[in-house]
Amino acid sequence: MVKKQESGLMEKIVSLCKRRGFVFAGSEIYGGLANSWDYGPLGVELKNSIKKLWWQKFVVERDDMVGMDGAVILNPKVWEASGHTGAGFADLMIECKKCHSRFRADHLGFVDEKGNIVSREDISCPECGKEDWTEPKQFNLMFKTNIGPTEEKTNMAYLRPETAQAMFVNFKNILDTTRKTLPFGMAQIGKAFRNEITPGNFIFRTREFEQMEIEYFIEEPNSDKDWQKHFEYWVKQTKDWMELIGINLKKVDAFEVPDNERAHYSKRTVDFMYEFPFGKKELYGLAYRTDFDLKNHEKFSGQNLKYKDQETGKEFWPHVIEPSFGVERSFLAILCEAYQEDPSATLGASRVYLKLKPYLAPYQAAVFPLLANKPQLVAKAREVYDSLKNRNSSFSIHNSFNVAWDERGNIGKRYYSQDEIGTPYCVTIDFDTLENNTVTVRDRDTAKQVRVLVPELKDFLTKKIYS
Ligand code: GAP
């Protein structure tokens, strides 16, 4: 029987990530840097697959979407216009007077449901247990930097805290160059930076992370119904995406964020809360940003950012629905869903395998010669390996798999090793291959094996991986 072990799941995932080269602690040889993480050879493959699939679904396959890639450091006025330099993008922070640990005031209960600060004597510091606090104060989450060789107020800039703003800032450029008509969307994938007060839970909340964001521009609504229909459409799209990457929707709640908790720009926000092992937490967000951003950028830049309807000649600021997806939170939720233990396994310990969607796995297949000391087997296995990697084709960018090669140890251990990193299919070249040109293809999830003719192998795997 295959069991999902919820207890200790996070520890097991963190350990597997490090052991197999998915995620390493950042700057490890210098003792690390708190809450920073580096992605190793397998981690970067999984991350790239997530981003590639997202781009495919939301840009390549659609006529109403265009992509862009904006700068990380923008003119500081952008952040004034967007409201990020104000209280809207600050967290209330509170400090323990004894141990000087800092916390978000709302996380400890110093803020009531209406967002008001409440003074309380009875809350102890989670670090040292003392009940002696400073007054809560606003802390802006943007990272500051300086442009040029001197550190002056006049050349101060920020690292972007969301990818969204580059899309608003380029609204006119994109409109002029693509001639898109409403409704249409822009998509962007890139790094964002926030000086979070309480990062943690592995890669869940970090100070440097990647976002995949869409700004979907719609007509100026005449009634709430007009924007609600687009909003509901993007609720459905977000859910479809979650299913595509293997998230069990039973573990996701669409939480309507109440007025007092919504970001300053939003008239409606739904947070998609996923049941992580450490609690139900935001995986993705969906917000109706109204015309807040374009209107403000017009005000601050003095440039006309209105859309002109070609038929009626009417000019207006389009309204915006914004689905926002975190790459690292996708990565973590995918691993939480995929981690499986099979205690009925035969190699002593439980068989651990990642039941990743085959198209997301770091390797789609692994190729093994049954015995590493039989040159004929190795040569044939190399031939199969090269053909799956499209080594001998000039069109190798298309239709090639990520394929692993392993000839170490016994075959059972090689299977287990690939299972643990989520490789969906292992192809073994044995003595029968030399006789009848067939190979064994073993399925990660069932451990069942079938024999497939070498000339049919690529089509066989393609169908399995992509259907
Ligand atoms: N442009 C809207 C925006 O940035 P957000 O809810 O602040 O909205 C969107 O962020 C998504 O970015 C979140 O749902 C989450 O997936 C990801 N995210 C936000 N802060 C993060 C952090 N500190 N670490 C990792 N991911 C984060």
Side-chain angles (χ1 to χ4, degrees):
M1 189 192 61
V2 177
K3 256 203 328 199
K4 181 131 191 164
Q5 306 278 331
E6 288 300 340
S7 75
L9 180 60
M10 268 311 282
E11 291 76 10
K12 287 173 183 171
I13 288 175
V14 174
S15 150
L16 188 151
C17 279
K18 160 135 205 197
R19 193 172 64 251
R20 299 306 309 270
F22 280 89
V23 185
F24 306 121
S27 316
E28 207 175 359
I29 61 165
Y30 288 100
L33 174 70
N35 300 294
S36 101
W37 303 97
D38 295 332
Y39 290 77
L42 300 185
V44 71
E45 293 297 344
L46 177 54
K47 244 184 166 189
N48 283 346
S49 299
I50 295 168
K51 291 188 273 186
K52 208 166 123 196
L53 188 66
W54 188 88
W55 198 259
Q56 179 72 22
K57 175 172 168 59
F58 291 118
V59 183
V60 178
E61 286 178 9
R62 299 180 59 125
D63 293 333
D64 60 344
M65 294 283 299
V66 290
M68 68 157 287
D69 186 18
V72 164
I73 300 174
L74 288 82
N75 186 313
K77 278 199 185 142
V78 169
W79 309 112
E80 284 176 44
S82 67
H84 282 85
T85 48
F89 199 65
D91 277 341
L92 266 182
M93 185 181 75
I94 193 154
E95 186 174 326
C96 169
K97 282 188 183 162
K98 178 153 185 266
C99 70
H100 302 289
S101 298
R102 290 170 176 177
F103 303 93
R104 272 177 55 173
D106 56 337
H107 284 180
L108 291 191
F110 288 98
V111 180
D112 68 16
E113 320 77 68
K114 293 200 175 105
N116 300 319
I117 299 171
V118 286
S119 98
R120 288 180 55 176
E121 310 275 295
D122 58 333
I123 297 173
S124 17
C125 171
E127 286 299 322
C128 69
K130 192 96 176 142
E131 290 159 15
D132 194 6
W133 298 99
T134 59
E135 286 300 310
K137 65 172 184 212
Q138 297 283 356
F139 173 76
N140 193 287
L141 299 184
M142 280 196 295
F143 273 102
K144 291 191 186 94
T145 187
N146 288 85
I147 297 174
T150 55
E151 282 186 29
E152 286 157 29
K153 221 170 166 196
T154 47
N155 63 15
M156 213 232 334
Y158 301 97
L159 305 188
R160 67 180 179 199
E162 60 174 13
T163 58
Q165 293 306 320
M167 294 189 262
F168 297 123
V169 169
N170 279 286
F171 177 71
K172 210 67 190 170
N173 284 335
I174 301 239
L175 206 57
D176 291 347
T177 49
T178 65
R179 309 224 165 264
K180 287 276 170 210
T181 52
L182 294 180
F184 77 93
M186 292 181 198
Q188 188 178 202
I189 300 178
K191 291 256 181 181
F193 304 83
R194 295 183 192 174
N195 205 353
E196 299 279 4
I197 299 167
T198 45
N201 284 324
F202 190 34
I203 56 172
F204 175 79
R205 190 184 306 283
T206 48
R207 295 190 170 109
E208 174 183 342
F209 54 96
E210 268 184 290
Q211 290 185 315
M212 306 181 284
E213 293 201 293
I214 292 168
E215 307 305 328
Y216 198 75
F217 298 94
I218 59 171
E219 295 274 349
E220 199 178 24
N222 289 318
S223 68
D224 279 353
K225 249 174 138 182
D226 291 345
W227 63 265
Q228 292 281 13
K229 78 169 187 246
H230 288 287
F231 197 95
E232 294 309 329
Y233 168 82
W234 283 103
V235 168
K236 169 83 172 61
Q237 286 292 304
T238 306
K239 287 185 178 167
D240 288 353
W241 162 257
M242 288 191 275
E243 282 197 308
L244 191 63
I245 59 171
I247 307 261
N248 178 358
L249 290 186
K250 290 200 181 109
K251 290 192 181 170
V252 180
D253 278 345
F255 171 70
E256 285 288 342
V257 181
D259 289 6
N260 62 311
E261 286 177 31
R262 277 201 302 270
H264 55 282
Y265 49 73
S266 172
K267 197 164 164 189
R268 181 181 174 198
T269 297
V270 166
D271 281 347
F272 295 89
M273 309 290 282
Y274 173 74
E275 217 175 283
F276 286 101
F278 42 85
K280 238 179 194 163
K281 305 269 178 205
E282 179 186 335
L283 174 59
Y284 304 135
L286 174 64
Y288 169 41
R289 294 182 82 120
T290 69
D291 57 358
F292 174 90
D293 300 274
L294 289 179
K295 202 195 248 171
N296 268 7
H297 284 304
E298 177 162 326
K299 191 166 133 200
F300 279 72
S301 69
Q303 303 289 318
N304 179 1
L305 297 182
K306 291 186 205 71
Y307 173 88
K308 187 171 182 181
D309 188 302
Q310 292 308 317
E311 276 172 29
T312 62
K314 194 178 151 207
E315 283 195 50
F316 57 92
W317 295 292
H319 284 229
V320 173
I321 309 288
E322 180 194 62
S324 185
F325 305 76
V327 175
E328 291 80 359
R329 288 189 193 178
S330 308
F331 187 109
L332 185 55
I334 286 169
L335 289 183
C336 291
E337 288 289 328
Y339 186 92
Q340 309 284 331
E341 286 179 4
D342 176 3
S344 63
T346 48
L347 279 188
S350 286
R351 179 171 83 98
V352 171
Y353 65 105
L354 292 184
K355 200 174 174 180
L356 296 169
K357 291 281 184 192
Y359 42 80
L360 288 180
Y363 296 112
Q364 276 71 50
V367 174
F368 312 147
L370 181 65
L371 298 170
N373 58 1
K374 296 283 176 224
Q376 271 179 302
L377 289 183
V378 175
K380 183 70 185 169
R382 276 280 164 204
E383 191 188 307
V384 171
Y385 175 75
D386 285 349
S387 79
L388 291 180
K389 273 180 104 90
N390 263 355
R391 279 258 169 84
N392 304 323
S393 155
S394 51
F395 298 107
S396 60
I397 193 156
H398 303 296
N399 193 24
S400 71
F401 304 128
N402 257 357
V403 192
W405 170 269
D406 195 358
E407 56 181 38
R408 297 159 310 161
N410 74 45
I411 204 84
K413 283 196 175 147
R414 288 186 231 163
Y415 285 148
Y416 275 32
S417 170
Q418 293 299 325
D419 287 345
E420 207 185 31
I421 61 171
T423 308
Y425 300 104
C426 290
V427 177
T428 303
I429 283 74
D430 55 20
F431 292 105
D432 284 348
T433 314
L434 305 179
E435 298 288 317
N436 60 17
N437 211 21
T438 64
V439 289
T440 303
V441 178
R442 177 210 180 248
D443 183 292
R444 171 197 69 197
D445 302 342
T446 61
K448 293 215 167 86
Q449 304 186 5
V450 288
R451 287 208 76 96
V452 177
L453 275 164
V454 170
E456 291 169 11
L457 181 63
K458 194 154 192 180
D459 279 352
F460 175 87
L461 290 176
T462 307
K463 278 195 198 114
K464 289 269 187 197
I465 292 161
Y466 295 105
S467 59

